[in-house]
């Protein structure tokens, strides 16, 4: 388990992040359990992961889902949640 943020002053939560497509390639994994501060937003989470893995896609190009449902970037995340950042899909 990796820890993006550790602090004794703010409670933490464990979440699972799932990666697909180019994000999975750049992270070199499909799933990871991480520990973050309870105050972490989806935007903050993506930015932390983007810095860690050097993701090439900005947040503006992605959708986000929490617990199998599309979410807004402003939605809160909670202990035990599953988060997926979804890259654009080409169709035809």
């Amino acid at each position: 388990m990796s820890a993006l943020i550790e602090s004794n002053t703010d409670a933490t939560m464990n979440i699972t992040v799932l990666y697909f497509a180019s994000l999975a390639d750049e992270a070199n994994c499909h799933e990871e359990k991480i520990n973050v501060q309870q105050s972490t937003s989806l935007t903050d989470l993506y930015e932390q992961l983007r810095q860690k893995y050097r993701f090439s896609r900005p947040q503006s190009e992605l959708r986000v889902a929490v617990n199998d449902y599309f979410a807004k970037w402003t939605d809160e995340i909670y202990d035990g949640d599953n988060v997926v950042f979804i890259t654009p899909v080409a169709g035809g």
Side-chain angles (χ1 to χ4, degrees):
M1 181 183 313
S2 64
L4 293 179
I5 298 176
E6 289 193 34
S7 172
N8 293 333
T9 61
D10 195 7
T12 60
M13 59 185 170
N14 293 304
I15 61 172
T16 301
V17 180
L18 304 172
Y19 302 103
F20 298 100
S22 61
L23 295 181
D25 292 340
E26 292 173 345
N28 200 31
C29 67
H30 291 281
E31 179 178 324
E32 131 179 82
K33 294 188 184 306
I34 59 174
N35 185 280
V36 295
Q37 291 180 349
Q38 280 185 338
S39 60
T40 302
S41 69
L42 288 165
T43 300
D44 293 339
L45 175 63
Y46 183 72
E47 187 55 36
Q48 292 167 18
L49 293 169
R50 186 173 183 212
Q51 289 177 15
K52 178 180 178 181
Y53 294 117
R54 302 187 192 281
F55 289 147
S56 58
R57 292 194 180 272
Q59 174 193 328
S60 61
E61 292 182 7
L62 304 176
R63 300 264 330 252
V64 63
V66 177
N67 299 327
D68 300 324
Y69 292 96
F70 281 113
K72 296 176 187 167
W73 285 99
T74 55
D75 288 352
E76 292 187 36
I77 49 177
Y78 300 96
D79 189 50
D81 280 351
N82 292 319
V83 177
V84 181
F85 299 107
I86 303 163
T87 58
V89 178

